[in-house]
Amino acid sequence: MFVSDEDLMLECRKGDMSAFELLVRRYQDAIVNYIHLTINDYHRAEDLAQETFLRVLKSAPRYKPKAAFKNWLYTIATNLSRNEIRNRIRRNTYLLDDLVDDGEDIYHSDIMTDTRLQPDILIEKKEQQQLIKRALNLLPDNQRIALTLVTYQELSYDEIADILECTVGAVKSLIHRARQNMKLHLIKVGIGENVNAKI
């Protein structure tokens, strides 16, 4: 029998660690990948995902189901990601990585495991994914976060508005501008409309 996230949090509030562990299992991969796409550092994303869940656990005794648990969880992850980006800027070390990932990236790994594809096609697809990732990292923070939430996390505009604490109209505008900026950058690097990717 499926137990809702909110009911699991109410069990956490009573000290039920198995309920908390189930929530972590439900969302851990999604949160790690969301933060990874937002800050472009897989290992740091794992740390921040752990911090996200620690904050959920610390807040459990005071938890009241006012909004959807998922929205609250993504709000915590978004705030931690923004803080990470701000701290990098302060340290003047926020540079684009060379796009070689040490960790597994579920959005790209499916390309590499399809043995039906020829090596040259695999290389071309991987290069396209790297160009898309680079374009995503060049977006302003709010645009990148909104586009990541709608495209890779498949959240609704209402959920994103709740997470970003803005109107649905503002979310639509952010996503529209993000897609336009992505397309402009991808055209500049020569893949433009030919790229087969979700943006």
Side-chain angles (χ1 to χ4, degrees):
M1 184 177 114
F2 181 80
V3 181
S4 74
D5 299 335
E6 292 74 22
D7 285 341
L8 287 172
M9 274 304 295
L10 290 172
E11 291 304 309
C12 290
R13 192 171 72 179
K14 298 174 190 173
D16 185 348
M17 285 304 293
S18 63
F20 175 71
E21 288 165 9
L22 181 53
L23 283 169
V24 172
R25 283 198 301 274
R26 278 184 188 175
Y27 288 102
Q28 185 169 26
D29 290 344
I31 293 295
V32 169
N33 283 299
Y34 165 59
I35 297 173
H36 177 208
L37 285 165
T38 305
I39 68 169
N40 196 30
D41 180 335
Y42 187 84
H43 295 298
R44 187 69 183 127
E46 289 181 314
D47 294 340
L48 291 177
Q50 186 176 27
E51 177 63 23
T52 299
F53 288 109
L54 283 174
R55 291 191 181 193
V56 168
L57 185 60
K58 285 177 186 173
S59 300
R62 301 181 305 279
Y63 176 75
K64 292 178 184 175
K66 294 177 184 174
F69 169 80
K70 181 168 74 170
N71 295 2
W72 178 52
L73 180 67
Y74 275 94
T75 299
I76 295 169
T78 298
N79 289 337
L80 287 170
S81 298
R82 283 178 168 162
N83 289 342
E84 176 72 12
I85 291 166
R86 275 195 290 269
N87 289 339
R88 287 182 186 181
I89 291 169
R90 261 188 237 116
R91 293 191 308 260
N92 199 26
T93 59
Y94 185 48
L95 302 172
L96 284 174
D97 292 340
D98 61 3
L99 301 170
V100 177
D101 297 322
D102 295 328
E104 181 184 3
D105 187 335
I106 64 167
Y107 302 112
H108 304 151
S109 62
D110 58 332
I111 293 168
M112 302 310 292
T113 57
D114 189 349
T115 55
R116 295 171 297 160
L117 297 175
Q118 298 297 322
D120 57 334
I121 296 171
L122 289 174
I123 291 168
E124 181 182 337
K125 285 186 176 288
K126 183 65 176 176
E127 286 172 355
Q128 286 181 350
Q129 293 295 336
Q130 289 176 342
L131 289 169
I132 291 163
K133 190 172 180 184
R134 186 187 305 258
L136 185 66
N137 283 311
L138 291 174
L139 294 176
D141 293 348
N142 278 350
Q143 289 182 26
R144 182 171 65 252
I145 288 167
L147 188 61
T148 299
L149 287 169
V150 77
T151 303
Y152 295 106
Q153 302 300 312
E154 300 178 352
L155 269 62
S156 70
Y157 288 159
D158 287 332
E159 289 171 322
I160 297 167
D162 191 28
I163 291 164
L164 297 181
E165 299 177 344
C166 64
T167 65
V168 171
V171 168
K172 289 179 180 177
S173 178
L174 278 171
I175 291 168
H176 176 74
R177 289 199 309 273
R179 286 180 172 148
Q180 293 301 315
N181 288 336
M182 287 279 289
K183 285 176 185 174
L184 284 172
H185 180 74
L186 293 173
I187 288 167
K188 282 181 189 175
V189 296
I191 59 173
E193 303 299 328
N194 297 325
V195 67
N196 181 19
K198 297 190 299 179
I199 59 168

